[in-house]
């Protein structure tokens, strides 16, 4: 059902609404409403104000300082995608921009705390190398920072958590600082807590305030992409909440039968 989320997210959902409106042209009122909704929502989601509002509602506060990591035993950096065939580094593929931001902040936290690092990311489309190996190469060759563990089997956030927890548990690690984009961390942190770890959220790349005046309402492709990421995260939170409630109900029923 992985494909289903693409039907619910921009720009595909907006295009489908527009096409539905055109196909229902014979029913002028309903078709016009569908067409207007599809076009207006597409333009609105592409504005700086909309993308900022959607992202800001997801973000936890930044770390207050190095002392916030005193209870952690390791730093976990989550993969955020790759660029395929990136020739400038000579590695084949290379980390995508979102991943570079996470790596930079993880390296910064490592230098402040001395904590060992785990990188987590697999092969989403059966690539030659796991994303974790690209992240480890970047930390080693660009940031001069060592990596203790590489988790290279995960394809999504829940698997990042489950596989990383198993690897860290074997090393006696129970408390981690988790690094990802601010909009992604609350859901990721919840997944890692479900996997049995105690998590300190270490967010990076917070939403920038939109420009003042008319410029904040001019649609741009960049902001449509940011809105889509945020909506994907809101959708992921909703799925996680439903899954948690179903699991709690199942456990409750099992306890009553026992």
């Amino acid at each position: 059902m992985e494909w289903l989320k693409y039907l619910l997210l921009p720009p595909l959902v907006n295009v489908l609404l527009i096409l539905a409106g055109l196909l229902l042209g014979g029913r002028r009122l309903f078709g016009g409403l569908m067409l207007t909704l599809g076009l207006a929502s597409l333009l609105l989601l592409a504005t700086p104000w909309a993308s900022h509002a959607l992202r800001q509602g997801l973000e936890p506060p930044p770390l207050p300082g190095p002392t916030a990591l005193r209870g952690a035993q390791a730093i976990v950096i989550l993969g955020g995608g790759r660029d395929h065939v990136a020739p400038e580094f000579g590695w084949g593929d290379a980390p995508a921009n979102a991943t570079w931001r996470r790596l930079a902040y993880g390296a910064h936290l490592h230098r402040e705390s001395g904590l060992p690092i785990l990188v987590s990311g697999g092969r989403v489309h059966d690539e030659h190398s796991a994303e974790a190996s690209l992240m480890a190469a970047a930390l080693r060759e660009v940031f001069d920072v060592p990596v203790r563990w590489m988790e290279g089997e995960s394809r999504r956030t829940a698997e990042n958590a489950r596989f990383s927890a198993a690897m860290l548990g074997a090393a006696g690690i129970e408390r981690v600082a988790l690094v990802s984009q601010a909009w992604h961390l609350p859901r990721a942190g919840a997944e890692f807590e479900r996997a049995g770890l105690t998590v300190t959220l270490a967010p990076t790349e917070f939403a920038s305030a939109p420009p003042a005046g008319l410029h904040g309402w001019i649609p741009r492709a960049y902001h449509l992409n940011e809105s889509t990421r945020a909506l994907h995260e809101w959708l992921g939170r909703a799925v996680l909440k439903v899954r948690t409630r179903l699991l709690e109900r199942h456990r409750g029923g099992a306890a009553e039968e026992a």
Side-chain angles (χ1 to χ4, degrees), residues 98-124:
T99 308
W100 279 110
R101 183 63 176 257
R102 302 177 191 190
L103 293 171
Y105 189 46
H108 170 71
L109 294 178
H110 167 78
R111 291 197 174 100
E112 285 192 331
S113 66
L115 292 172
I117 291 176
L118 179 146
V119 290
S120 176
R123 300 169 176 82
V124 177

Side-chain angles (χ1 to χ4, degrees), residues 12-22 31 34-35 37-39 41:
L12 186 55
V13 66
N14 312 88
V15 172
L16 291 175
L17 284 171
I18 293 170
L19 290 176
L22 293 173
M34 297 281 281
L35 185 63
L37 178 61
L39 183 58
S41 60

Side-chain angles (χ1 to χ4, degrees), residues 73-82 91 95 98-108 110 115-123 129-141 143-157 159-168 173 176-180 192 197:
Q73 297 169 283
I75 297 168
V76 177
I77 307 175
L78 300 180
R82 71 172 74 209
W91 305 333
T99 308
W100 279 110
R101 183 63 176 257
R102 302 177 191 190
L103 293 171
Y105 189 46
H108 170 71
H110 167 78
L115 292 172
I117 291 176
L118 179 146
V119 290
S120 176
R123 300 169 176 82
S129 57
E131 189 177 349
S133 66
L134 303 177
M135 296 165 70
L139 284 169
R140 181 180 62 250
E141 297 183 24
F143 296 101
D144 195 25
V145 166
V147 170
R148 179 79 59 86
W149 305 276
M150 287 194 299
E151 183 287 296
E153 300 300 322
S154 56
R155 293 172 178 262
R156 53 187 63 86
T157 302
E159 291 181 352
N160 287 135
R162 192 163 67 251
F163 300 155
S164 296
M167 189 173 289
L168 293 168
I173 304 294
V176 301
L178 185 62
V179 178
S180 187
F192 273 73
L197 294 169

Side-chain angles (χ1 to χ4, degrees), residues 45-92:
L45 290 171
T47 64
W49 273 107
S51 67
H52 177 260
L54 287 169
R55 284 184 57 183
Q56 192 176 41
L58 294 164
E59 296 176 345
L63 279 178
T67 57
L69 297 184
R70 282 181 180 170
Q73 297 169 283
I75 297 168
V76 177
I77 307 175
L78 300 180
R82 71 172 74 209
D83 289 332
H84 295 274
V85 191
E88 66 270 36
F89 294 104
W91 305 333

